């Protein structure tokens, strides 16, 4: 007991001393969604809200296949059930065939009559009835990839380098999961900040929480700020739709998760491809799932490190969020994405946009109705929090497809693969519904639907001199002061990531300190 107490006290002293001059972790429950991972033979699950990596021995750094999956605080506390209660006599249960379901307030969608829901639209699957998809639904085991892609395997991307050696997590090399990287003065971030040199980064004050109501002055000036959230203001560099009418740019955010493989299996069965906007904290947690996505031909894009609202962060923090995620993807796949998606709550303004472009990443959002009104957000992420029901989310999707007829172009829809509920909605309902929709829809990943060759989507394979808007001079993805990738170099530029580096000493100290604290409370010390 004395040893444990001493370890905690010493670790906290070290972390506090080093981090006193840096930003405090933000409590942003809207952006920290539930990740209900299940145990498996190769991935341990912890129950802390933001677990540190495994503790290091006193002799040498610890290397493991991946850190323990993070388990953000549950967004709803209910008792799991496999079926919804029966409706009162003479009533129709929400989501039952022929029932009128009202989408969530504030979405702008009109009530719709649901289609068949007592069984999954994806017949032959284990997807539950629509009315059972909720924050109280039972949880299936995590599903791991069954394919094994060895180092040197050839990706399905023309000009991309072979897969690197399998990712091995090293203690102290990465920031804490699910937090804005605290050490914005680290050597890595300072190198990545140099990518902004020569670019006009607007001096826009960070927003309070990213919502229009909390930032009335900024909202009133949204057109000049290019703030997508308040009025749908975009710039010519943004990708918000597919050019061809009746084309759906399919994408999923926030993974890889314990349930992503269920989605990948369905997409493979239906010969469909999608764009996956991945969170850096999830990448180092489930690298094999990311490899599976990439090697199956799906597009990979950056979706921040900790899933925080970028408009409320400082410039250095934004650079850290994008830089660490880009580095993680490069380490696992050997390629550097040229696109990114900001957080759905606040999305993008001209400052975030300029920083992303300066770092060689083109912002991708999703579609809205003309005039900057209703957005094509399924609200599937709200189901896990109990804010909307499964039938409500599906009704929203049905109305999105109906509203898409108002567009002269195709469209992009916001969906997620982080939760079991959102994966079940996609596999059991939204994707099958879209495949049978009239008029016929063409489902494509966003890069393809935007008429961008897959090779354009990674710096190593890109030969397009106008997309992305950076790359000729090269990028230091490792943040070690050496350029390790240039446009179209197929990964041949010297200084390429080897997976054996380490984060700057200050970050390592704090990471190690947090790891000791986590180990003590997990009973490992």
């Amino acid at each position: 007991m004395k040893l444990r107490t001493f370890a905690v006290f010493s670790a906290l002293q070290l972390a506090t001393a080093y981090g006193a001059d840096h930003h405090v972790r933000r409590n942003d429950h809207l952006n920290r969604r539930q990740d209900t991972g299940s145990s498996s033979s190769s991935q341990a699950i912890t129950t802390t809200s933001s677990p540190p990596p495994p503790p290091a021995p006193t002799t040498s750094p610890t290397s493991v296949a991946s850190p323990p999956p993070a388990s953000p605080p549950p967004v709803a506390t209910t008792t799991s059930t496999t079926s919804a209660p029966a409706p009162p006599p003479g009533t129709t249960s929400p989501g039952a065939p022929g029932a009128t379901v009202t989408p969530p307030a504030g979405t702008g969608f009109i009530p719709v009559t649901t289609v068949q829901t007592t069984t999954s639209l994806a017949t032959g699957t284990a997807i539950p009835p629509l009315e059972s998809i909720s924050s109280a639904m039972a949880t299936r085991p995590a599903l791991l990839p069954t394919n094994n892609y060895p180092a040197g395997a050839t990706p399905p991307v023309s000009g991309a380098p072979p897969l690197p050696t399998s990712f091995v997590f090293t203690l102290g090399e990465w920031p804490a999961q699910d937090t804005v990287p605290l050490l914005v003065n680290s050597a890595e971030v300072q190198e990545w900040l140099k990518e902004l040199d020569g670019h006009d980064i607007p001096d826009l004050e960070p927003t309070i929480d990213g919502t229009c109501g909390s930032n009335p002055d900024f909202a009133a000036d949204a057109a000049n700020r290019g703030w997508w959230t308040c009025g749908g203001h975009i710039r010519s560099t943004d990708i918000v739709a597919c050019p061809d009418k009746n084309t759906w740019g399919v994408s999923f955010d926030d993974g890889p998760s314990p349930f992503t493989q269920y989605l990948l299996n369905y997409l493979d069965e239906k010969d469909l491809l999608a764009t996956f906007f991945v969170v850096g904290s999830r990448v180092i947690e489930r690298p094999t799932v990311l490899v599976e996505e990439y090697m199956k031909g799906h597009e990979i894009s950056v979706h921040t490190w900790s899933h925080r609202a970028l408009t409320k962060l400082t410039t250095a923090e934004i650079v850290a969020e994008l830089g660490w995620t880009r580095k993680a993807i490069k380490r696992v796949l050997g390629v550097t994405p040229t696109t990114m998606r900001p957080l759905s709550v606040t999305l993008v303004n001209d400052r975030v946009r300029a920083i992303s472009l300066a770092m060689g990443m083109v912002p991708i959002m999703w579609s809205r109705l003309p005039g900057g009104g209703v957005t094509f957000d399924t609200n599937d992420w709200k189901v896990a929090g109990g804010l909307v029901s499964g039938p409500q989310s599906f009704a929203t999707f049905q109305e999105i497809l109906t509203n898409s007829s108002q567009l002269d172009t195709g469209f992009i829809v916001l969906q997620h693969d982080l939760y079991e509920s959102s994966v079940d909605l996609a596999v059991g309902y939204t994707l099958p519904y879209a495949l049978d929709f009239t008029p016929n829809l063409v489902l494509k990943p966003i890069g393809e639907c935007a008429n961008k060759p897959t090779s354009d989507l990674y710096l190593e394979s890109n030969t397009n001199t106008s997309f992305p808007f950076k790359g000729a001079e090269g990028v230091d993805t490792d943040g070690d002061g050496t350029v390790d990738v240039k446009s179209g170099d197929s990964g041949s530029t010297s200084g390429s990531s080897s997976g054996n580096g380490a984060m700057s000493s200050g970050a390592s100290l704090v990471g190690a300190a947090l790891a000791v604290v986590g180990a003590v409370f997990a009973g490992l010390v």
Side-chain angles (χ1 to χ4, degrees), residues 365-392:
M365 275 78 81
W366 49 97
S367 302
R368 304 178 77 134
L369 289 183
V374 176
T375 71
F376 283 25
D377 179 355
T378 63
N379 292 312
D380 62 341
W381 56 275
K382 293 183 178 181
V383 175
L387 301 177
V388 304
S389 66
Q392 284 179 315

Side-chain angles (χ1 to χ4, degrees), residues 81-253:
T81 180
T82 55
S83 62
T91 65
T92 304
S93 63
T100 298
V101 177
T102 303
T107 62
F109 292 125
I110 61 174
V112 298
T113 301
T114 64
V115 297
Q116 173 191 9
T117 59
T118 54
T119 59
S120 166
L121 297 184
T123 57
T125 69
I127 304 301
L130 183 59
E131 58 269 24
S132 297
I133 297 179
S134 68
S135 60
M137 67 185 293
T139 299
R140 290 179 289 175
L143 189 62
L144 298 176
T146 56
N147 293 305
N148 180 26
Y149 299 99
T154 302
V157 179
S158 176
L163 278 183
T165 55
S166 297
F167 175 83
V168 175
F169 178 80
T170 302
L171 179 68
E173 187 177 357
W174 304 95
Q177 291 173 263
D178 305 306
T179 63
V180 178
L182 296 177
L183 298 172
V184 294
N185 292 326
S186 69
E188 293 88 350
V189 176
Q190 292 305 304
E191 288 297 326
W192 296 330
L193 278 167
K194 295 177 182 178
E195 297 179 39
L196 276 54
D197 293 346
H199 295 269
D200 182 15
I201 309 298
D203 186 19
L204 298 179
E205 182 181 347
T207 58
I208 296 174
D209 64 3
T211 63
C212 305
S214 297
N215 301 269
D217 293 341
F218 297 165
D221 193 39
N224 293 326
R225 291 172 170 264
W227 198 3
W228 193 92
T229 306
C230 304
H233 302 288
I234 62 174
R235 302 302 186 217
S236 61
T237 52
D238 299 339
I239 297 176
V240 296
C242 305
D244 299 328
K245 189 173 178 64
N246 294 327
T247 300
W248 172 18
V250 183
S251 65
F252 298 93
D253 291 20

Side-chain angles (χ1 to χ4, degrees), residues 23 97 334 336 482:
H23 294 281
T336 308
T482 302

Side-chain angles (χ1 to χ4, degrees), residues 23-27 32 49-50 177-180 182 308:
H23 294 281
V24 179
R25 176 180 175 182
R26 304 170 189 275
N27 293 319
R32 186 160 172 74
S49 61
S50 180
Q177 291 173 263
D178 305 306
T179 63
V180 178
L182 296 177
R308 292 300 194 271

